Amino acid sequence: MANGLGNGLAGAAAGSVPEGRWTGEDIAARLLRFYDEKTSTRAITRLQFVEHVGYLLFLKLDHERSQRPARFARQPVAPEGTWPRLTDLSGDALHSGLTALIRELDDQAPTRPDRRIAAMVFRDAQSWDLGRMAELAKLITEQIDPYQWRLIPQAELGRAFTIMLRACRDDIDRKIDTGQTLTPFPVLSAVVKVLEVGPEDTVVDPACGTGSTLIAAHHALQSTDPAAIAGADLDAQMCRLATLNILFNTGRPFSDPAPVRLADTLTHKTPVLRSDSTIPTVAICNPPFRSDGVVPNATMRDDFLAYGDFPTNFLQHLMVTLRSGARAAVFVPDGVLFGTGAAATVRRALLRNCDVHTLLRLPTGMFHRKGVKSNILFFTKATPKPDGRPVTRELWVYDARTGNHRTDTGNPVVEADFDDFVAACTERSESERFRRYTVEELLDHPAVNFDLQAHLVPELDDFGSPKEIATEIAGLLDDAAAHFREVAEALP
């Protein structure tokens, strides 16, 4: 695809291939090749590069939309004439000009309502170092300015940015302080199908990362209502990237309310912070899997029963903040299913306050972060019964793990991998991979164990074929070598 892309965009510049025929794969490959060949990759990370591509596309599209014929033109969000001026700058002038623009748009309390999205896109953003301005000028004049980006099909532009973000998975995985990871889209597609997300729903993600969950929900919603999806994250860079990712995938106007907010959701008694009174009907969340995620300022959450790791706390947060009838899907590691203490307390409360109906055990190796075993717990918030009996009647467990090791590069999951799971959730009949447990069986265990087998044969850990194992080891060694090079370059 990379070779086809180079020819495709070169031809587009000459007029032989119109922008309307570009594919997301081609656009992403072209821009990432520019990063590899034309930038100082040791000074600029791939994630920093993609983030700046997002800023420039935002500004270019903002300019293009303001230049359409009168009745179709939109008032620009950036100052009038920003993009033409930016293309004429270089060196110190480019650095100071872009820095000043970022500061103007990074307005945490914008006086103009149409700048609410821009305020999030440029929140705490930084331009490249002054020494990188020649590379930035080339990116602007050679890769962004010559083309009419608004003519590119929305699905292709969105896919291009999503592909570029996935190419940054190493940089994202290094954000250990916030525990970021990337969720494969085929999994999210299955989640929205099982939750039966439809046009009447409003969907929130209280730990949205790069926004892929909200994009999957948008595809299912088919709604132009800007309030239909909303997210929050405590990492400013993830909020910027999520906002850009959502804009490019949905085509929503840049003057809309921001779809993502910078916030530590766990310190608030709402499913996700919103600027309106819209009540969410669906919550999907893949929280950080860090083990030290005790809520700061814990005294603020007098509605919590216990304080545990991040996944346990997000489960509890949604359990207590969602309205009755709201549906939820939360990614959790194996430890949340069988852990004692806070995890056990929350599991027991979930059975009492919600219909915990489905557990999906995901394939091993699916996430880029090594050694993570993940599950998705599906539940519907309910009104507790007056007699204290649990709302949950039965929990169905689907095993997509046994004999199914995946990697995010050589053997990624695809949508077809979850077709049987989606069908099983509709039919609700036991099979080799789908098994029913009554609530009495769950409560019979002292710790209310959810670490349940679905497979009707003993579950064996599947670490993949020898080739897959060797490939993963090689990847780990490459990562280690890259870290050592960074340390060596930083030494005097």
Side-chain angles (χ1 to χ4, degrees):
M1 292 300 291
N3 292 336
L5 161 71
N7 294 334
L9 286 194
S16 61
V17 179
E19 286 91 330
R21 291 175 55 190
W22 295 358
T23 69
E25 290 78 5
D26 289 349
I27 298 167
R30 168 78 177 212
L31 289 165
L32 291 174
R33 187 162 64 245
F34 179 91
Y35 170 76
D36 291 333
E37 297 177 357
K38 301 293 181 65
T39 64
S40 302
T41 56
R42 293 184 179 182
I44 303 167
T45 68
R46 192 182 294 269
L47 188 59
Q48 290 171 327
F49 173 81
V50 171
E51 190 171 0
H52 267 67
V53 167
Y55 300 156
L56 298 176
L57 287 175
F58 179 94
L59 295 170
K60 181 62 159 59
L61 280 166
D62 183 51
H63 173 69
E64 288 180 6
R65 291 173 179 179
S66 72
Q67 299 302 302
R68 290 186 296 187
R71 68 179 190 145
F72 300 108
R74 292 184 181 274
Q75 181 70 22
V77 173
E80 191 79 37
T82 288
W83 183 258
R85 286 194 297 273
L86 203 60
T87 61
D88 290 335
L89 299 178
S90 61
D92 289 359
L94 176 57
H95 186 267
S96 60
L98 185 57
T99 299
L101 176 63
I102 288 173
R103 287 176 180 170
E104 179 175 352
L105 296 177
D106 176 14
D107 184 354
Q108 297 182 24
T111 55
R112 285 175 46 180
D114 64 334
R115 283 191 174 176
R116 289 173 293 187
I117 278 183
M120 180 50 67
V121 168
F122 295 97
R123 176 76 177 264
D124 298 335
Q126 302 290 327
S127 179
W128 290 352
D129 293 339
L130 181 58
R132 308 273 79 81
M133 289 302 102
E135 299 159 27
L136 184 58
K138 284 185 177 180
L139 177 61
I140 293 171
T141 58
E142 295 179 7
Q143 302 298 321
I144 306 296
D145 185 55
Y147 312 116
Q148 291 292 308
W149 294 90
R150 67 181 178 85
L151 301 180
I152 299 172
Q154 195 66 55
E156 301 303 329
L157 180 60
R159 182 154 57 244
F161 196 73
T162 299
I163 291 170
M164 287 191 288
L165 282 178
R166 292 204 169 276
C168 301
R169 54 184 172 267
D170 288 333
D171 293 333
I172 293 174
D173 278 353
R174 290 186 187 121
K175 295 176 72 66
I176 301 299
D177 55 333
T178 51
Q180 302 291 342
T181 191
L182 293 170
T183 310
F185 193 83
V187 181
L188 296 174
S189 178
V191 168
V192 297
K193 290 175 183 175
V194 171
L195 291 175
E196 297 182 332
V197 176
E200 71 286 355
D201 285 312
T202 57
V203 182
V204 296
D205 182 350
C208 67
T210 60
S212 54
T213 295
L214 297 175
I215 293 167
H218 170 82
H219 292 336
L221 289 167
Q222 294 296 309
S223 171
T224 58
D225 180 3
I229 57 173
D233 203 281
L234 52 74
D235 184 287
Q237 186 180 38
M238 290 298 105
C239 287
R240 297 193 298 266
L241 291 169
T243 302
L244 289 166
N245 203 14
I246 291 168
L247 292 178
F248 298 146
N249 273 279
T250 65
R252 65 193 296 172
F254 293 172
S255 57
D256 275 358
V260 172
R261 292 194 171 199
L262 177 63
D264 182 356
T265 311
L266 289 177
T267 62
H268 297 272
K269 294 183 179 181
T270 55
V272 68
L273 295 179
R274 302 184 64 98
S275 59
D276 55 45
S277 58
T278 304
I279 298 173
T281 59
V282 175
I284 306 172
C285 181
N286 186 1
F289 280 10
R290 286 170 51 195
S291 60
D292 60 342
V294 175
V295 177
N297 305 319
T299 54
M300 295 178 63
R301 295 306 301 264
D302 55 6
D303 55 344
F304 270 25
L305 298 173
Y307 298 94
D309 57 18
F310 269 121
T312 299
N313 288 339
F314 272 99
L315 266 177
Q316 187 171 197
H317 169 75
L318 293 174
M319 177 186 71
V320 300
T321 59
L322 289 175
R323 298 288 184 92
S324 181
R327 296 103 68 201
V330 182
F331 290 68
V332 296
D334 278 7
V336 171
L337 303 180
F338 61 79
T340 57
T345 299
V346 171
R347 290 195 300 272
R348 188 177 295 275
L350 276 170
L351 296 179
R352 186 173 60 250
N353 297 292
C354 305
D355 177 14
V356 188
H357 54 82
T358 308
L359 173 66
L360 170 61
R361 312 210 70 164
L362 292 167
T364 56
M366 190 184 68
F367 290 100
H368 189 60
R369 187 163 290 170
K370 306 298 186 292
V372 174
K373 286 189 175 182
S374 303
N375 312 267
I376 306 177
L377 199 59
F378 295 82
F379 61 91
T380 300
K381 179 68 179 291
T383 302
K385 295 183 177 181
D387 59 5
R389 288 184 298 123
V391 171
T392 300
R393 298 178 59 187
E394 55 190 25
L395 172 64
W396 288 80
V397 182
Y398 188 94
D399 176 18
R401 178 181 298 175
T402 299
N404 192 15
H405 181 81
R406 296 304 184 100
T407 61
D408 58 354
T409 50
N411 184 28
V413 292
V414 296
E415 288 203 35
D417 292 327
F418 298 98
D419 286 349
D420 183 68
F421 165 65
V422 174
C425 288
T426 300
E427 297 164 6
R428 296 288 167 177
S429 60
E430 287 194 334
S431 67
E432 187 180 46
R433 290 191 177 272
F434 203 39
R435 183 172 175 182
R436 182 178 72 96
Y437 291 85
T438 66
V439 70
E440 289 77 18
E441 291 177 277
L442 300 177
L443 292 172
D444 190 49
H445 191 283
V448 196
N449 185 24
F450 284 8
D451 188 29
L452 306 166
Q453 290 186 1
H455 213 275
L456 300 183
V457 297
E459 180 177 347
L460 299 174
D461 283 329
D462 182 5
F463 297 103
S465 67
K467 181 176 181 179
E468 290 173 333
I469 295 172
T471 301
E472 287 201 25
I473 292 173
L476 289 170
L477 292 174
D478 288 341
D479 289 345
H483 288 309
F484 277 116
R485 279 195 294 273
E486 291 173 3
V487 172
E489 290 166 6
L491 294 174

